[in-house]
Amino acid sequence: MANASGFFTPSVPHFRVKVRPLATAIGFSAKVVCFGNIEGADKHATSKSSIPRLVSKGCKLVGCGSAVPALEISNDELSQIVDTSDEWISVRTGIRRRRVLSGKDNLTTLAVEAARKALEMAKVDSDDLDLILLCTSTPEDLFGSAPQISKQLGCKTNPLSYDITAACSGFVLGLISAACHIRGGGFNNVLVIGADALSRYVDWTDRGTCILFGDAAGAVLVQGCNSEEDGLLGFDLHSDGNGQRHLNAGIRENESDNALDSNGSVFGFPPKPSSYSCIQMNGKEVFRFAVRCVPQSIESALQKAGLPASCIDWLLLHQANQRIIDAVATRLELPSERVISNLANYGNTSAASIPLALDEAVRSGKVKAGQTIATAGFGAGLTWGSAIVRWG
């Protein structure tokens, strides 16, 4: 199994016992992929490396796909319903347009389209899938939408399918979860989908948030391989519930005319119907959080992978704000020509943003097999995490 510091360790009942496995004694491959301490690290600090971890099975990214709604809304069109302008939005965010679900579009359909493209690129049949992970905070069913993706893909083997809710960090957490299932659970083909429709939870009269978000889906097929081909080189994951006040969409009670809602009961029973509020965000605080924690996380993941920043071929961050992307690239001393960004065309698509940008970069020939990508997600929770991966 893996811990949040990016180390894969044997499953043992004593979680704080430090284990130094002997590869020659148990027949594991001798490839060391990262170093680390199983003990906890200081809050927000990069983790120290001290104990070698051995990996007997690797995983690699072998296919990707994406899908977006048909309806495109430009900044100029948005300025017709809220007090803003193309210049105001683009200067502050880098966003020019976004896609929004409309008509008969739905998120599950987008996710299935992205999944099919990823399977086609990987040359894997849907019946060979062992697991489907849907990373989303906006499922079309309160209890999760992943099983519906399996159904619509026509999977006859009924693979395990479940949702992961971690907002804009969701896809990175999905990648790490896929690796855990492959390395520790014997799975071989894991489909990781990032899909969100935050347009449904935006207050379209609030120019501080409605300008930011768009809808999309992206998918990656993660496949088991031998340790020498391992494509997940290191990772780093964190969360801090103290920051929830800066970015949230909390549950709220709906107004109701039901007589039972005003029966004078001191117990407040039965409860009123509820729904989720629109997205509430303190943009300045989220910006400060991202430019502080994301570079630290990537540097920590690089340290565990045993790689310097100069080995990064591409920086692929969650597409939230171009100023955040530029600030992280500057901190890591990476030139703009090695930074992947499609934010201008799609806005912030939450868990979909990383696989969407990756798919476009792969299909355009920008990202090539064997290249190293530093990727990071960050957002509500607050949650953040990074992974150093090799494509193909």
Side-chain angles (χ1 to χ4, degrees):
M1 295 300 290
N3 62 32
S5 297
F7 316 127
F8 288 86
T9 59
S11 296
V12 293
H14 305 292
F15 295 107
R16 304 185 75 80
V17 174
K18 298 179 180 179
V19 180
R20 189 184 295 270
L22 298 176
T24 55
I26 59 178
F28 282 4
S29 164
K31 180 183 178 186
V32 177
V33 296
C34 49
F35 295 80
N37 192 332
I38 198 169
E39 305 285 349
D42 291 339
K43 183 180 179 182
H44 295 188
T46 56
S47 302
K48 305 280 185 182
S49 294
S50 60
I51 301 175
R53 301 300 181 198
L54 306 182
V55 174
S56 61
K57 185 176 182 180
C59 60
K60 57 184 179 180
L61 284 60
V62 296
C64 57
S66 62
V68 296
L71 179 62
E72 180 179 280
I73 303 296
S74 69
N75 289 347
D76 287 331
E77 290 171 317
L78 198 55
S79 69
Q80 296 175 20
I81 64 171
V82 67
D83 182 19
T84 189
S85 68
D86 177 60
E87 181 183 12
W88 194 91
I89 298 171
S90 59
V91 167
R92 287 164 176 78
T93 68
I95 299 169
R96 293 283 186 180
R97 59 194 66 85
R98 72 283 297 143
R99 300 295 184 96
V100 176
L101 286 175
S102 64
K104 295 182 180 180
D105 286 340
N106 66 68
L107 192 65
T108 302
T109 300
L110 287 184
V112 170
E113 182 181 346
R116 286 198 173 112
K117 291 177 180 177
L119 290 170
E120 181 181 359
M121 181 184 289
K123 297 180 180 178
V124 171
D125 190 270
S126 60
D127 287 336
D128 292 325
L129 288 173
D130 301 303
L131 174 66
I132 298 173
L133 301 175
L134 175 61
C135 309
T136 185
S137 296
T138 57
E140 292 176 323
D141 187 318
L142 176 65
F143 302 121
S145 296
Q148 290 303 307
I149 293 173
S150 172
K151 173 188 174 183
Q152 292 190 32
L153 286 175
C155 300
K156 298 182 179 66
T157 56
N158 297 323
L160 172 64
S161 306
Y162 64 89
D163 290 20
I164 294 176
T165 302
C168 303
S169 303
F171 182 75
V172 172
L173 270 64
L175 278 182
I176 307 309
S177 297
C180 291
H181 281 288
I182 289 171
R183 288 170 165 167
F187 290 31
N188 193 53
N189 290 309
V190 179
L191 187 61
V192 183
I193 305 168
D196 267 311
L198 290 181
S199 66
R200 294 169 170 170
Y201 298 93
V202 163
D203 178 356
W204 289 99
T205 66
D206 175 16
R207 74 170 185 172
T209 56
C210 75
I211 64 171
L212 300 174
F213 299 103
D215 306 333
V220 166
L221 196 285
V222 184
Q223 190 172 75
C225 62
N226 61 52
S227 60
E228 286 72 24
E229 297 178 294
D230 190 34
L232 176 59
L233 309 179
F235 66 88
D236 181 76
L237 304 173
H238 297 275
S239 64
D240 180 4
N242 290 312
Q244 185 262 356
R245 65 187 185 277
H246 299 312
L247 181 54
N248 60 78
I251 200 166
R252 65 181 180 187
E253 290 185 344
N254 295 334
E255 295 298 325
S256 175
D257 295 328
N258 190 330
L260 288 175
D261 291 340
S262 56
N263 62 3
S265 170
V266 295
F267 300 108
F269 181 84
K272 294 180 180 179
S274 61
S275 61
Y276 290 98
S277 70
C278 291
I279 296 170
Q280 308 294 314
M281 184 177 70
N282 183 329
K284 290 182 179 179
E285 288 299 325
V286 173
F287 180 88
R288 292 190 186 110
F289 145 72
V291 299
R292 181 181 71 253
C293 294
V294 172
Q296 290 178 354
S297 181
I298 292 174
E299 288 167 349
S300 180
L302 283 168
Q303 181 184 16
K304 294 158 193 170
L307 296 173
S310 59
C311 287
I312 298 174
D313 294 303
W314 298 103
L315 177 66
L316 174 51
L317 303 181
H318 163 52
Q319 307 286 292
N321 185 301
Q322 192 61 46
R323 292 190 299 162
I324 293 175
I325 295 171
D326 293 343
V328 175
T330 299
R331 166 74 177 269
L332 296 173
E333 299 181 349
L334 291 173
S336 59
E337 56 266 23
R338 288 164 61 187
V339 177
I340 297 172
S341 175
N342 65 356
L343 176 69
N345 294 326
Y346 302 106
N348 180 344
T349 57
S350 192
S353 75
I354 292 175
L356 172 61
L358 174 64
D359 184 50
E360 289 194 341
V362 169
R363 292 180 186 274
S364 68
K366 180 180 288 188
V367 171
K368 297 176 174 58
Q371 290 188 322
T372 300
I373 304 169
T375 187
F378 50 92
L382 296 169
T383 58
W384 67 102
S386 61
I388 311 302
V389 299
R390 182 185 299 115
W391 173 253

mmCIF file with all atom_site columns, all heavy atoms in Angstrom, residues 245-267:
data_model
loop_
_atom_site.group_PDB
_atom_site.id
_atom_site.type_symbol
_atom_site.label_atom_id
_atom_site.label_alt_id
_atom_site.label_comp_id
_atom_site.label_asym_id
_atom_site.label_entity_id
_atom_site.label_seq_id
_atom_site.pdbx_PDB_ins_code
_atom_site.Cartn_x
_atom_site.Cartn_y
_atom_site.Cartn_z
_atom_site.occupancy
_atom_site.B_iso_or_equiv
_atom_site.pdbx_formal_charge
_atom_site.auth_seq_id
_atom_site.auth_comp_id
_atom_site.auth_asym_id
_atom_site.auth_atom_id
_atom_site.pdbx_PDB_model_num
ATOM 1   N N   . ARG A 1 245 ? -12.914 27.201 4.990  1.00 0.00 ? 245 ARG A N   1
ATOM 2   C CA  . ARG A 1 245 ? -13.683 28.450 4.980  1.00 0.00 ? 245 ARG A CA  1
ATOM 3   C C   . ARG A 1 245 ? -13.380 29.316 3.758  1.00 0.00 ? 245 ARG A C   1
ATOM 4   O O   . ARG A 1 245 ? -14.166 30.194 3.404  1.00 0.00 ? 245 ARG A O   1
ATOM 5   C CB  . ARG A 1 245 ? -13.394 29.249 6.265  1.00 0.00 ? 245 ARG A CB  1
ATOM 6   C CG  . ARG A 1 245 ? -11.946 29.732 6.391  1.00 0.00 ? 245 ARG A CG  1
ATOM 7   C CD  . ARG A 1 245 ? -11.713 30.353 7.769  1.00 0.00 ? 245 ARG A CD  1
ATOM 8   N NE  . ARG A 1 245 ? -10.381 30.930 7.901  1.00 0.00 ? 245 ARG A NE  1
ATOM 9   C CZ  . ARG A 1 245 ? -9.293  30.243 8.210  1.00 0.00 ? 245 ARG A CZ  1
ATOM 10  N NH1 . ARG A 1 245 ? -9.381  28.926 8.407  1.00 0.00 ? 245 ARG A NH1 1
ATOM 11  N NH2 . ARG A 1 245 ? -8.126  30.843 8.346  1.00 0.00 ? 245 ARG A NH2 1
ATOM 12  N N   . HIS A 1 246 ? -12.254 29.059 3.092  1.00 0.00 ? 246 HIS A N   1
ATOM 13  C CA  . HIS A 1 246 ? -11.866 29.876 1.948  1.00 0.00 ? 246 HIS A CA  1
ATOM 14  C C   . HIS A 1 246 ? -12.460 29.381 0.626  1.00 0.00 ? 246 HIS A C   1
ATOM 15  O O   . HIS A 1 246 ? -12.486 30.133 -0.352 1.00 0.00 ? 246 HIS A O   1
ATOM 16  C CB  . HIS A 1 246 ? -10.346 29.913 1.807  1.00 0.00 ? 246 HIS A CB  1
ATOM 17  C CG  . HIS A 1 246 ? -9.645  30.498 2.999  1.00 0.00 ? 246 HIS A CG  1
ATOM 18  N ND1 . HIS A 1 246 ? -10.040 31.685 3.572  1.00 0.00 ? 246 HIS A ND1 1
ATOM 19  C CD2 . HIS A 1 246 ? -8.581  30.053 3.736  1.00 0.00 ? 246 HIS A CD2 1
ATOM 20  C CE1 . HIS A 1 246 ? -9.249  31.960 4.604  1.00 0.00 ? 246 HIS A CE1 1
ATOM 21  N NE2 . HIS A 1 246 ? -8.374  30.988 4.723  1.00 0.00 ? 246 HIS A NE2 1
ATOM 22  N N   . LEU A 1 247 ? -12.921 28.121 0.579  1.00 0.00 ? 247 LEU A N   1
ATOM 23  C CA  . LEU A 1 247 ? -13.456 27.568 -0.662 1.00 0.00 ? 247 LEU A CA  1
ATOM 24  C C   . LEU A 1 247 ? -14.401 26.422 -0.325 1.00 0.00 ? 247 LEU A C   1
ATOM 25  O O   . LEU A 1 247 ? -13.965 25.372 0.156  1.00 0.00 ? 247 LEU A O   1
ATOM 26  C CB  . LEU A 1 247 ? -12.315 27.072 -1.553 1.00 0.00 ? 247 LEU A CB  1
ATOM 27  C CG  . LEU A 1 247 ? -12.683 26.464 -2.915 1.00 0.00 ? 247 LEU A CG  1
ATOM 28  C CD1 . LEU A 1 247 ? -13.539 27.417 -3.727 1.00 0.00 ? 247 LEU A CD1 1
ATOM 29  C CD2 . LEU A 1 247 ? -11.422 26.089 -3.680 1.00 0.00 ? 247 LEU A CD2 1
ATOM 30  N N   . ASN A 1 248 ? -15.701 26.620 -0.557 1.00 0.00 ? 248 ASN A N   1
ATOM 31  C CA  . ASN A 1 248 ? -16.665 25.595 -0.167 1.00 0.00 ? 248 ASN A CA  1
ATOM 32  C C   . ASN A 1 248 ? -17.976 25.788 -0.917 1.00 0.00 ? 248 ASN A C   1
ATOM 33  O O   . ASN A 1 248 ? -18.223 26.822 -1.536 1.00 0.00 ? 248 ASN A O   1
ATOM 34  C CB  . ASN A 1 248 ? -16.908 25.642 1.348  1.00 0.00 ? 248 ASN A CB  1
ATOM 35  C CG  . ASN A 1 248 ? -17.459 26.987 1.783  1.00 0.00 ? 248 ASN A CG  1
ATOM 36  O OD1 . ASN A 1 248 ? -18.642 27.276 1.610  1.00 0.00 ? 248 ASN A OD1 1
ATOM 37  N ND2 . ASN A 1 248 ? -16.589 27.843 2.336  1.00 0.00 ? 248 ASN A ND2 1
ATOM 38  N N   . ALA A 1 249 ? -18.807 24.779 -0.834 1.00 0.00 ? 249 ALA A N   1
ATOM 39  C CA  . ALA A 1 249 ? -20.190 24.827 -1.324 1.00 0.00 ? 249 ALA A CA  1
ATOM 40  C C   . ALA A 1 249 ? -20.997 23.992 -0.341 1.00 0.00 ? 249 ALA A C   1
ATOM 41  O O   . ALA A 1 249 ? -21.307 22.827 -0.584 1.00 0.00 ? 249 ALA A O   1
ATOM 42  C CB  . ALA A 1 249 ? -20.301 24.287 -2.744 1.00 0.00 ? 249 ALA A CB  1
ATOM 43  N N   . GLY A 1 250 ? -21.312 24.581 0.791  1.00 0.00 ? 250 GLY A N   1
ATOM 44  C CA  . GLY A 1 250 ? -21.911 23.856 1.903  1.00 0.00 ? 250 GLY A CA  1
ATOM 45  C C   . GLY A 1 250 ? -23.368 23.509 1.700  1.00 0.00 ? 250 GLY A C   1
ATOM 46  O O   . GLY A 1 250 ? -24.069 24.083 0.857  1.00 0.00 ? 250 GLY A O   1
ATOM 47  N N   . ILE A 1 251 ? -23.845 22.557 2.494  1.00 0.00 ? 251 ILE A N   1
ATOM 48  C CA  . ILE A 1 251 ? -25.244 22.144 2.430  1.00 0.00 ? 251 ILE A CA  1
ATOM 49  C C   . ILE A 1 251 ? -26.117 23.206 3.100  1.00 0.00 ? 251 ILE A C   1
ATOM 50  O O   . ILE A 1 251 ? -25.695 23.896 4.035  1.00 0.00 ? 251 ILE A O   1
ATOM 51  C CB  . ILE A 1 251 ? -25.434 20.768 3.098  1.00 0.00 ? 251 ILE A CB  1
ATOM 52  C CG1 . ILE A 1 251 ? -26.727 20.125 2.626  1.00 0.00 ? 251 ILE A CG1 1
ATOM 53  C CG2 . ILE A 1 251 ? -25.363 20.870 4.617  1.00 0.00 ? 251 ILE A CG2 1
ATOM 54  C CD1 . ILE A 1 251 ? -26.820 18.656 2.970  1.00 0.00 ? 251 ILE A CD1 1
ATOM 55  N N   . ARG A 1 252 ? -27.331 23.372 2.584  1.00 0.00 ? 252 ARG A N   1
ATOM 56  C CA  . ARG A 1 252 ? -28.252 24.363 3.140  1.00 0.00 ? 252 ARG A CA  1
ATOM 57  C C   . ARG A 1 252 ? -29.673 23.820 3.101  1.00 0.00 ? 252 ARG A C   1
ATOM 58  O O   . ARG A 1 252 ? -30.015 22.996 2.258  1.00 0.00 ? 252 ARG A O   1
ATOM 59  C CB  . ARG A 1 252 ? -28.177 25.666 2.346  1.00 0.00 ? 252 ARG A CB  1
ATOM 60  C CG  . ARG A 1 252 ? -28.643 25.519 0.906  1.00 0.00 ? 252 ARG A CG  1
ATOM 61  C CD  . ARG A 1 252 ? -28.538 26.821 0.138  1.00 0.00 ? 252 ARG A CD  1
ATOM 62  N NE  . ARG A 1 252 ? -28.991 26.651 -1.246 1.00 0.00 ? 252 ARG A NE  1
ATOM 63  C CZ  . ARG A 1 252 ? -28.892 27.583 -2.184 1.00 0.00 ? 252 ARG A CZ  1
ATOM 64  N NH1 . ARG A 1 252 ? -28.340 28.739 -1.885 1.00 0.00 ? 252 ARG A NH1 1
ATOM 65  N NH2 . ARG A 1 252 ? -29.335 27.351 -3.403 1.00 0.00 ? 252 ARG A NH2 1
ATOM 66  N N   . GLU A 1 253 ? -30.485 24.283 4.018  1.00 0.00 ? 253 GLU A N   1
ATOM 67  C CA  . GLU A 1 253 ? -31.888 23.876 4.043  1.00 0.00 ? 253 GLU A CA  1
ATOM 68  C C   . GLU A 1 253 ? -32.684 24.692 3.033  1.00 0.00 ? 253 GLU A C   1
ATOM 69  O O   . GLU A 1 253 ? -32.483 25.900 2.886  1.00 0.00 ? 253 GLU A O   1
ATOM 70  C CB  . GLU A 1 253 ? -32.477 24.076 5.438  1.00 0.00 ? 253 GLU A CB  1
ATOM 71  C CG  . GLU A 1 253 ? -31.949 23.111 6.478  1.00 0.00 ? 253 GLU A CG  1
ATOM 72  C CD  . GLU A 1 253 ? -32.648 23.281 7.810  1.00 0.00 ? 253 GLU A CD  1
ATOM 73  O OE1 . GLU A 1 253 ? -33.302 24.331 8.004  1.00 0.00 ? 253 GLU A OE1 1
ATOM 74  O OE2 . GLU A 1 253 ? -32.562 22.378 8.643  1.00 0.00 ? 253 GLU A OE2 1
ATOM 75  N N   . ASN A 1 254 ? -33.553 24.018 2.307  1.00 0.00 ? 254 ASN A N   1
ATOM 76  C CA  . ASN A 1 254 ? -34.422 24.704 1.352  1.00 0.00 ? 254 ASN A CA  1
ATOM 77  C C   . ASN A 1 254 ? -35.654 25.245 2.054  1.00 0.00 ? 254 ASN A C   1
ATOM 78  O O   . ASN A 1 254 ? -36.148 24.661 3.027  1.00 0.00 ? 254 ASN A O   1
ATOM 79  C CB  . ASN A 1 254 ? -34.858 23.745 0.241  1.00 0.00 ? 254 ASN A CB  1
ATOM 80  C CG  . ASN A 1 254 ? -33.687 23.280 -0.595 1.00 0.00 ? 254 ASN A CG  1
ATOM 81  O OD1 . ASN A 1 254 ? -32.671 23.962 -0.700 1.00 0.00 ? 254 ASN A OD1 1
ATOM 82  N ND2 . ASN A 1 254 ? -33.824 22.105 -1.208 1.00 0.00 ? 254 ASN A ND2 1
ATOM 83  N N   . GLU A 1 255 ? -36.142 26.370 1.554  1.00 0.00 ? 255 GLU A N   1
ATOM 84  C CA  . GLU A 1 255 ? -37.419 26.887 2.061  1.00 0.00 ? 255 GLU A CA  1
ATOM 85  C C   . GLU A 1 255 ? -38.527 25.935 1.631  1.00 0.00 ? 255 GLU A C   1
ATOM 86  O O   . GLU A 1 255 ? -38.518 25.391 0.530  1.00 0.00 ? 255 GLU A O   1
ATOM 87  C CB  . GLU A 1 255 ? -37.671 28.285 1.510  1.00 0.00 ? 255 GLU A CB  1
ATOM 88  C CG  . GLU A 1 255 ? -36.664 29.327 1.981  1.00 0.00 ? 255 GLU A CG  1
ATOM 89  C CD  . GLU A 1 255 ? -36.696 29.521 3.483  1.00 0.00 ? 255 GLU A CD  1
ATOM 90  O OE1 . GLU A 1 255 ? -37.810 29.422 4.063  1.00 0.00 ? 255 GLU A OE1 1
ATOM 91  O OE2 . GLU A 1 255 ? -35.635 29.754 4.082  1.00 0.00 ? 255 GLU A OE2 1
ATOM 92  N N   . SER A 1 256 ? -39.495 25.716 2.516  1.00 0.00 ? 256 SER A N   1
ATOM 93  C CA  . SER A 1 256 ? -40.566 24.768 2.201  1.00 0.00 ? 256 SER A CA  1
ATOM 94  C C   . SER A 1 256 ? -41.886 25.249 2.763  1.00 0.00 ? 256 SER A C   1
ATOM 95  O O   . SER A 1 256 ? -41.938 25.873 3.830  1.00 0.00 ? 256 SER A O   1
ATOM 96  C CB  . SER A 1 256 ? -40.223 23.387 2.778  1.00 0.00 ? 256 SER A CB  1
ATOM 97  O OG  . SER A 1 256 ? -41.294 22.491 2.593  1.00 0.00 ? 256 SER A OG  1
ATOM 98  N N   . ASP A 1 257 ? -42.964 24.952 2.035  1.00 0.00 ? 257 ASP A N   1
ATOM 99  C CA  . ASP A 1 257 ? -44.308 25.283 2.502  1.00 0.00 ? 257 ASP A CA  1
ATOM 100 C C   . ASP A 1 257 ? -44.978 24.088 3.186  1.00 0.00 ? 257 ASP A C   1
ATOM 101 O O   . ASP A 1 257 ? -46.135 24.134 3.559  1.00 0.00 ? 257 ASP A O   1
ATOM 102 C CB  . ASP A 1 257 ? -45.192 25.726 1.325  1.00 0.00 ? 257 ASP A CB  1
ATOM 103 C CG  . ASP A 1 257 ? -44.693 27.027 0.702  1.00 0.00 ? 257 ASP A CG  1
ATOM 104 O OD1 . ASP A 1 257 ? -44.139 27.847 1.459  1.00 0.00 ? 257 ASP A OD1 1
ATOM 105 O OD2 . ASP A 1 257 ? -44.851 27.194 -0.523 1.00 0.00 ? 257 ASP A OD2 1
ATOM 106 N N   . ASN A 1 258 ? -44.205 23.013 3.335  1.00 0.00 ? 258 ASN A N   1
ATOM 107 C CA  . ASN A 1 258 ? -44.755 21.808 3.948  1.00 0.00 ? 258 ASN A CA  1
ATOM 108 C C   . ASN A 1 258 ? -45.174 22.108 5.386  1.00 0.00 ? 258 ASN A C   1
ATOM 109 O O   . ASN A 1 258 ? -44.386 22.625 6.183  1.00 0.00 ? 258 ASN A O   1
ATOM 110 C CB  . ASN A 1 258 ? -43.687 20.704 3.913  1.00 0.00 ? 258 ASN A CB  1
ATOM 111 C CG  . ASN A 1 258 ? -44.264 19.350 4.303  1.00 0.00 ? 258 ASN A CG  1
ATOM 112 O OD1 . ASN A 1 258 ? -45.207 19.258 5.081  1.00 0.00 ? 258 ASN A OD1 1
ATOM 113 N ND2 . ASN A 1 258 ? -43.686 18.292 3.754  1.00 0.00 ? 258 ASN A ND2 1
ATOM 114 N N   . ALA A 1 259 ? -46.399 21.778 5.729  1.00 0.00 ? 259 ALA A N   1
ATOM 115 C CA  . ALA A 1 259 ? -46.900 22.057 7.082  1.00 0.00 ? 259 ALA A CA  1
ATOM 116 C C   . ALA A 1 259 ? -46.068 21.360 8.141  1.00 0.00 ? 259 ALA A C   1
ATOM 117 O O   . ALA A 1 259 ? -45.955 21.840 9.270  1.00 0.00 ? 259 ALA A O   1
ATOM 118 C CB  . ALA A 1 259 ? -48.362 21.636 7.187  1.00 0.00 ? 259 ALA A CB  1
ATOM 119 N N   . LEU A 1 260 ? -45.486 20.223 7.784  1.00 0.00 ? 260 LEU A N   1
ATOM 120 C CA  . LEU A 1 260 ? -44.695 19.496 8.765  1.00 0.00 ? 260 LEU A CA  1
ATOM 121 C C   . LEU A 1 260 ? -43.450 20.268 9.172  1.00 0.00 ? 260 LEU A C   1
ATOM 122 O O   . LEU A 1 260 ? -42.870 20.032 10.228 1.00 0.00 ? 260 LEU A O   1
ATOM 123 C CB  . LEU A 1 260 ? -44.283 18.133 8.190  1.00 0.00 ? 260 LEU A CB  1
ATOM 124 C CG  . LEU A 1 260 ? -45.391 17.101 8.051  1.00 0.00 ? 260 LEU A CG  1
ATOM 125 C CD1 . LEU A 1 260 ? -44.846 15.850 7.347  1.00 0.00 ? 260 LEU A CD1 1
ATOM 126 C CD2 . LEU A 1 260 ? -45.959 16.732 9.410  1.00 0.00 ? 260 LEU A CD2 1
ATOM 127 N N   . ASP A 1 261 ? -43.017 21.221 8.321  1.00 0.00 ? 261 ASP A N   1
ATOM 128 C CA  . ASP A 1 261 ? -41.813 21.982 8.632  1.00 0.00 ? 261 ASP A CA  1
ATOM 129 C C   . ASP A 1 261 ? -42.064 23.053 9.687  1.00 0.00 ? 261 ASP A C   1
ATOM 130 O O   . ASP A 1 261 ? -41.131 23.644 10.205 1.00 0.00 ? 261 ASP A O   1
ATOM 131 C CB  . ASP A 1 261 ? -41.278 22.656 7.356  1.00 0.00 ? 261 ASP A CB  1
ATOM 132 C CG  . ASP A 1 261 ? -40.730 21.644 6.365  1.00 0.00 ? 261 ASP A CG  1
ATOM 133 O OD1 . ASP A 1 261 ? -40.429 20.526 6.806  1.00 0.00 ? 261 ASP A OD1 1
ATOM 134 O OD2 . ASP A 1 261 ? -40.614 21.975 5.167  1.00 0.00 ? 261 ASP A OD2 1
ATOM 135 N N   . SER A 1 262 ? -43.327 23.327 9.992  1.00 0.00 ? 262 SER A N   1
ATOM 136 C CA  . SER A 1 262 ? -43.623 24.390 10.957 1.00 0.00 ? 262 SER A CA  1
ATOM 137 C C   . SER A 1 262 ? -44.559 23.876 12.053 1.00 0.00 ? 262 SER A C   1
ATOM 138 O O   . SER A 1 262 ? -45.464 24.575 12.494 1.00 0.00 ? 262 SER A O   1
ATOM 139 C CB  . SER A 1 262 ? -44.258 25.591 10.245 1.00 0.00 ? 262 SER A CB  1
ATOM 140 O OG  . SER A 1 262 ? -45.411 25.195 9.535  1.00 0.00 ? 262 SER A OG  1
ATOM 141 N N   . ASN A 1 263 ? -44.349 22.649 12.464 1.00 0.00 ? 263 ASN A N   1
ATOM 142 C CA  . ASN A 1 263 ? -45.251 22.054 13.442 1.00 0.00 ? 263 ASN A CA  1
ATOM 143 C C   . ASN A 1 263 ? -44.848 22.371 14.878 1.00 0.00 ? 263 ASN A C   1
ATOM 144 O O   . ASN A 1 263 ? -45.428 21.836 15.810 1.00 0.00 ? 263 ASN A O   1
ATOM 145 C CB  . ASN A 1 263 ? -45.332 20.538 13.237 1.00 0.00 ? 263 ASN A CB  1
ATOM 146 C CG  . ASN A 1 263 ? -43.980 19.858 13.434 1.00 0.00 ? 263 ASN A CG  1
ATOM 147 O OD1 . ASN A 1 263 ? -43.008 20.523 13.780 1.00 0.00 ? 263 ASN A OD1 1
ATOM 148 N ND2 . ASN A 1 263 ? -43.942 18.550 13.212 1.00 0.00 ? 263 ASN A ND2 1
ATOM 149 N N   . GLY A 1 264 ? -43.821 23.226 15.033 1.00 0.00 ? 264 GLY A N   1
ATOM 150 C CA  . GLY A 1 264 ? -43.463 23.646 16.370 1.00 0.00 ? 264 GLY A CA  1
ATOM 151 C C   . GLY A 1 264 ? -42.643 22.651 17.152 1.00 0.00 ? 264 GLY A C   1
ATOM 152 O O   . GLY A 1 264 ? -42.414 22.835 18.347 1.00 0.00 ? 264 GLY A O   1
ATOM 153 N N   . SER A 1 265 ? -42.180 21.601 16.522 1.00 0.00 ? 265 SER A N   1
ATOM 154 C CA  . SER A 1 265 ? -41.397 20.596 17.229 1.00 0.00 ? 265 SER A CA  1
ATOM 155 C C   . SER A 1 265 ? -40.079 21.181 17.697 1.00 0.00 ? 265 SER A C   1
ATOM 156 O O   . SER A 1 265 ? -39.352 21.806 16.925 1.00 0.00 ? 265 SER A O   1
ATOM 157 C CB  . SER A 1 265 ? -41.115 19.402 16.313 1.00 0.00 ? 265 SER A CB  1
ATOM 158 O OG  . SER A 1 265 ? -40.180 18.536 16.915 1.00 0.00 ? 265 SER A OG  1
ATOM 159 N N   . VAL A 1 266 ? -39.753 20.999 18.965 1.00 0.00 ? 266 VAL A N   1
ATOM 160 C CA  . VAL A 1 266 ? -38.483 21.513 19.497 1.00 0.00 ? 266 VAL A CA  1
ATOM 161 C C   . VAL A 1 266 ? -37.316 20.697 18.992 1.00 0.00 ? 266 VAL A C   1
ATOM 162 O O   . VAL A 1 266 ? -36.165 21.096 19.105 1.00 0.00 ? 266 VAL A O   1
ATOM 163 C CB  . VAL A 1 266 ? -38.492 21.504 21.046 1.00 0.00 ? 266 VAL A CB  1
ATOM 164 C CG1 . VAL A 1 266 ? -39.541 22.457 21.584 1.00 0.00 ? 266 VAL A CG1 1
ATOM 165 C CG2 . VAL A 1 266 ? -38.694 20.093 21.571 1.00 0.00 ? 266 VAL A CG2 1
ATOM 166 N N   . PHE A 1 267 ? -37.605 19.530 18.425 1.00 0.00 ? 267 PHE A N   1
ATOM 167 C CA  . PHE A 1 267 ? -36.534 18.670 17.929 1.00 0.00 ? 267 PHE A CA  1
ATOM 168 C C   . PHE A 1 267 ? -36.185 18.944 16.469 1.00 0.00 ? 267 PHE A C   1
ATOM 169 O O   . PHE A 1 267 ? -35.259 18.369 15.934 1.00 0.00 ? 267 PHE A O   1
ATOM 170 C CB  . PHE A 1 267 ? -36.915 17.191 18.089 1.00 0.00 ? 267 PHE A CB  1
ATOM 171 C CG  . PHE A 1 267 ? -37.159 16.799 19.516 1.00 0.00 ? 267 PHE A CG  1
ATOM 172 C CD1 . PHE A 1 267 ? -38.453 16.551 19.961 1.00 0.00 ? 267 PHE A CD1 1
ATOM 173 C CD2 . PHE A 1 267 ? -36.114 16.701 20.420 1.00 0.00 ? 267 PHE A CD2 1
ATOM 174 C CE1 . PHE A 1 267 ? -38.700 16.188 21.279 1.00 0.00 ? 267 PHE A CE1 1
ATOM 175 C CE2 . PHE A 1 267 ? -36.349 16.348 21.736 1.00 0.00 ? 267 PHE A CE2 1
ATOM 176 C CZ  . PHE A 1 267 ? -37.643 16.096 22.176 1.00 0.00 ? 267 PHE A CZ  1
#
